[in-house]
Amino acid sequence: MDSQTSQPSQASPSPHSFQVDLRGLVDLLSHHLYSSPKVYLRELLQNAVDAITARRAEQPDAPATVRLHAVDGTLRVEDSGIGLTESDVHSLLATIGRSSKRDDGIQAARSEFLGQFGIGLLACFVVAERIRVVSRSARTPDAAPVEWTATDDGSYTVRTLPHYARTEPGTTVHLVARAGAGEWLAEERVRSLARDFGSLLPYDVRVGDEPIADLPAPWDRAHPSPTTRRVALARHCHELFGFTPLDSIELNVPLAGVRGVAYVLPSAVSPAQRASHRVHLKGMLLTERAEQLLPDWAFFVRCVLDTDSLRPTASRESLYEDETLAAVREALGERIRSWLTGLAAGDPERLAAFLSVHHLGVKSLARHDNEMLRTMLPWLPFETTDGRLSLEEFALRHPVVHFTRTVEEYRQVAPIASAQGIGVVNGGYTYDSELVEALPSVRPGSVVAELDADTVTAHLDAIDPAEELALSGFLAAARARLDPLGCDVSLRAFHPLSVPALHLDDRAARHEQARAEAEEQADDLWAGILGSLRGSAPRARLVLNHLNPLIRRISSLRDPELIGTAIESLYGQALLMAQRPLRPADSALLNRAFIGLLEWATHPDTGEDDRR
């Protein structure tokens, strides 16, 4: 081979192991993985319970006890679990990320265990400067007890102990508080945390001599009657969440591995507010802030439940979003839906009390669920020109169900429409217009139509043609004054008499108005594009009430300038009455009209003839 083209052989690089800075890792856990140092006690309880579960898988009659003793900045946790041998200690306690639940013989029973990620005792360094573990294996009874001692600098020692150091299988963990963390190992704090995390654990767990488990779970307890059960659950809700619920909903979903209860909030909340629920995993509290547990529409309940099917994240403080969680979410949503339909069928008083507070949540559900809409149709309240009614009752009164898409449109026309016998539903509130439009799908034969300016005007009485001809000069002056604002003027007779003028527009008119304003402010190219989009949509209109005494007096004026000022004032007042947002041009008009009227009223040369 040519020496000039040959390549030198390269030796394979030697592998190296990662070096872990334990203090840096503990800092990462305490500031980024865990929300609070309190999780250290959950990890201790988790390890103890998993060790007992593992022993009972092999020895069903084995004792199942966990004892916690807090004294002078130290904590001792004893369990009667499976225990460890010396090789187990080197393999499990000293290797970050390894879990005994992955070992052969335990993998098959892994669903019975709480821990999955192998972080284990590492979390205890968040509050402890030294951890000492003494353990004796139940699998290898002849093996000597073993002691593992570690400090937060990353060093550890392992040694075997005489057999009398621990005569029974199991494990004892000793913690010594690090500087500034002594409060976390105080007896009252340990008792409070243990009760919070472990109240539903199936084993005998005690702090000192005080049991911390509260079994059976509140939703599994027997009661002499449904009423006493409801009272007991309401008391539990008040103790847990701090409020007395409107009602409680059983969440027994065996196929999803879920047991619990949902409490209905006694006051309304925003649909955008993320609900926080309390979730236990196989009895151990996982999180108090589970946000994705229920469908978004079920924002009116708070849940507490126990599950054996959901998967926790690495921090064990939230739920992992996967197909299982999606299935559980759907199943829990179905339970809440069934509760609502049950109330509608058998307890209308409780349903009415619920809807008076949480109608928004039910409307959110009904817009995607025709069966729910059909069930709730006689109960869901809507603002209408006939008062606050259900769509069912309103449709019985009116052959055509007119609705507006905004609250402002409804406020414009509601008094006039009511006086003319037009039935209108205010669809401007959240979900309401969608539900009105869905009415024909669940109530065949219903006619639904969006209310527009032409419909309202058509129901107003036209005036005598001779009278309108006599007022042609007045109407011409009025139209000339409002034409720059994109508003027409018409004269009608309608009730109530107290309304001098009515401003009417619809979405098409507003879109055309917005296009025209943009065209005025655009450069030549953009103005040409906007001009090509000009449609034939009707413009807004100011309808003057010929029956109103003020309109009659204004229409008799002879001064065109004074007529224009009066019309501008009526236009501004109609906008304000409709609670419509004012454009800069509208605000300028109101100021100009107000000043003009003041000048006219105070001008010394204003004659009596001009006032007529």
Side-chain angles (χ1 to χ4, degrees):
M1 182 179 294
D2 191 337
S3 62
Q4 293 182 346
T5 61
S6 64
Q7 299 294 326
S9 62
Q10 296 182 357
S12 299
S14 300
H16 297 278
S17 298
F18 283 104
Q19 300 298 310
V20 177
D21 180 352
L22 186 59
R23 286 179 175 171
L25 187 56
V26 169
D27 183 71
L28 181 67
L29 291 175
S30 61
H31 289 93
H32 299 283
L33 185 63
Y34 295 130
S35 62
S36 166
K38 68 181 183 181
V39 298
Y40 87 92
L41 192 67
R42 184 194 62 202
E43 296 294 335
L44 288 173
L45 287 175
Q46 170 190 306
N47 287 343
V49 170
D50 283 346
I52 293 172
T53 302
R55 184 177 179 185
R56 283 205 155 184
E58 301 178 8
Q59 305 172 17
D61 297 331
T65 61
V66 180
R67 298 291 183 264
L68 295 90
H69 303 276
V71 180
D72 297 332
T74 65
L75 176 64
R76 185 174 82 255
V77 181
E78 303 171 347
D79 70 66
S80 59
I82 193 70
L84 302 171
T85 64
E86 183 176 0
S87 63
D88 292 334
V89 167
H90 284 289
S91 174
L92 300 176
L93 297 187
T95 305
I96 296 171
R98 178 171 294 179
S99 171
S100 64
K101 272 70 77 177
R102 296 186 177 91
D103 285 359
D104 294 338
I106 299 182
Q107 178 69 32
R110 185 175 175 184
S111 63
E112 301 299 321
F113 292 89
L114 299 174
Q116 298 180 11
F117 297 99
I119 296 175
L121 288 176
L122 188 63
C124 295
F125 280 117
V126 173
V127 298
E129 67 176 9
R130 184 164 61 91
I131 301 173
R132 176 172 169 259
V133 177
V134 176
S135 187
R136 183 165 188 166
S137 174
R139 286 195 182 119
T140 313
D142 295 336
V146 60
E147 177 190 72
W148 175 84
T149 304
T151 58
D152 60 1
D153 63 2
S155 63
Y156 73 93
T157 60
V158 178
R159 65 186 180 113
T160 57
L161 301 176
H163 280 72
Y164 61 80
R166 185 176 181 102
T167 58
E168 296 296 327
T171 300
T172 302
V173 179
H174 303 261
L175 301 185
V176 177
R178 66 190 309 163
E183 62 173 305
W184 292 104
L185 272 61
E187 184 175 13
E188 282 304 313
R189 177 62 67 89
V190 169
R191 181 180 292 108
S192 174
L193 293 178
R195 188 179 293 118
D196 198 36
F197 284 120
S199 62
L200 301 184
L201 289 175
Y203 301 138
D204 180 11
V205 182
R206 301 178 181 237
V207 176
D209 295 326
E210 182 178 337
I212 61 119
D214 187 19
L215 297 175
W219 47 85
D220 286 330
R221 295 171 189 169
H223 296 278
S225 70
T227 300
T228 55
R229 180 177 182 82
R230 191 178 301 123
V231 170
L233 289 176
R235 186 183 307 113
H236 173 250
C237 175
H238 192 274
E239 293 171 354
L240 199 62
F241 293 119
F243 65 84
T244 301
L246 283 178
D247 207 348
S248 55
I249 307 169
E250 301 283 344
L251 299 179
N252 182 14
V253 189
L255 291 178
V258 170
R259 285 285 294 157
V261 62
Y263 294 115
V264 181
L265 293 168
S267 56
V269 294
S270 167
Q273 179 178 330
R274 299 293 293 179
S276 295
H277 309 289
R278 187 177 175 94
V279 178
H280 296 256
L281 180 61
K282 303 178 185 72
M284 181 75 75
L285 178 65
L286 178 69
T287 179
E288 298 174 281
R289 297 184 299 275
E291 295 183 346
Q292 67 273 48
L293 187 65
L294 294 181
D296 290 341
W297 56 261
F299 56 82
F300 50 83
V301 298
R302 294 292 180 270
C303 291
V304 54
L305 55 83
D306 188 25
T307 175
D308 59 14
S309 63
L310 297 180
R311 178 182 172 191
T313 59
S315 67
R316 292 181 45 78
E317 294 186 286
S318 59
L319 297 170
Y320 189 83
E321 185 67 50
D322 57 11
E323 293 181 357
T324 302
L325 178 57
V328 168
R329 182 162 51 235
E330 182 177 350
L332 295 180
E334 184 57 39
R335 286 293 303 119
I336 298 173
R337 182 186 287 107
S338 298
W339 169 77
L340 283 171
T341 55
L343 287 187
D347 200 338
E349 290 186 3
R350 284 170 65 199
L351 177 64
F354 166 75
L355 289 178
S356 67
V357 178
H358 295 299
H359 59 274
L360 199 59
V362 180
K363 288 180 177 180
S364 173
L365 171 60
R367 67 196 178 112
H368 297 303
D369 189 329
N370 279 351
E371 188 59 37
M372 179 58 65
L373 178 58
R374 186 178 293 108
T375 302
M376 293 290 113
L377 202 58
W379 307 101
L380 288 174
F382 289 80
E383 183 180 358
T384 77
T385 49
D386 291 355
R388 196 161 182 80
L389 300 175
S390 69
L391 281 182
E392 175 76 19
E393 185 174 356
F394 189 80
L396 290 173
R397 296 185 183 188
H398 299 277
V400 178
V401 178
H402 289 99
F403 72 98
T404 64
R405 292 192 182 274
T406 68
V407 175
E408 290 78 11
E409 291 176 34
Y410 179 81
R411 287 170 178 163
Q412 287 181 70
V413 302
I416 311 303
S418 179
Q420 308 306 313
I422 308 173
V424 184
V425 178
N426 184 356
Y429 296 113
T430 307
Y431 311 132
D432 282 8
S433 62
E434 296 175 70
L435 294 177
V436 175
E437 289 181 297
L439 181 61
S441 67
V442 297
R443 191 179 187 276
S446 299
V447 180
V448 172
E450 184 176 354
L451 189 69
D452 56 25
D454 288 336
T455 301
V456 177
T457 305
H459 282 77
L460 304 181
D461 295 334
I463 66 171
D464 184 85
E467 288 189 69
E468 187 168 10
L469 182 61
L471 296 175
S472 59
F474 161 72
L475 291 174
R479 287 166 180 153
R481 185 58 66 98
L482 294 187
D483 183 69
L485 296 172
C487 183
D488 292 330
V489 178
S490 59
L491 189 63
R492 294 288 188 273
F494 56 87
H495 293 272
L497 301 179
S498 58
V499 178
L502 176 65
H503 181 271
L504 294 177
D505 64 0
D506 51 30
R507 285 190 299 165
R510 288 195 294 276
H511 290 166
E512 173 62 19
Q513 188 179 66
R515 186 209 58 77
E517 290 175 357
E519 182 180 356
E520 291 179 1
Q521 300 174 7
D523 56 32
D524 291 342
L525 175 60
W526 186 236
I529 295 174
L530 291 173
S532 68
L533 298 176
R534 182 184 296 109
S536 58
R539 302 203 302 172
R541 70 192 68 178
L542 183 68
V543 183
L544 304 177
N545 188 359
H546 189 53
L547 300 180
N548 180 270
L550 176 61
I551 296 299
R552 288 181 174 273
R553 288 197 296 271
I554 293 175
S555 65
S556 66
L557 295 172
R558 293 192 294 270
D559 184 353
E561 186 62 30
L562 184 54
I563 290 174
T565 300
I567 289 296
E568 288 182 336
S569 299
L570 289 170
Y571 172 82
Q573 189 260 356
L575 285 180
L576 293 174
M577 289 299 293
Q579 301 187 30
R580 295 293 304 276
L582 299 180
R583 300 170 297 165
D586 298 329
S587 299
L589 174 144
L590 278 172
N591 290 332
R592 183 172 65 247
F594 179 70
I595 297 299
L597 289 176
L598 284 178
E599 290 180 348
W600 175 80
T602 58
H603 199 285
D605 296 332
T606 300
E608 192 65 28
D609 290 341
D610 291 332
R611 296 174 186 270
R612 293 192 183 97

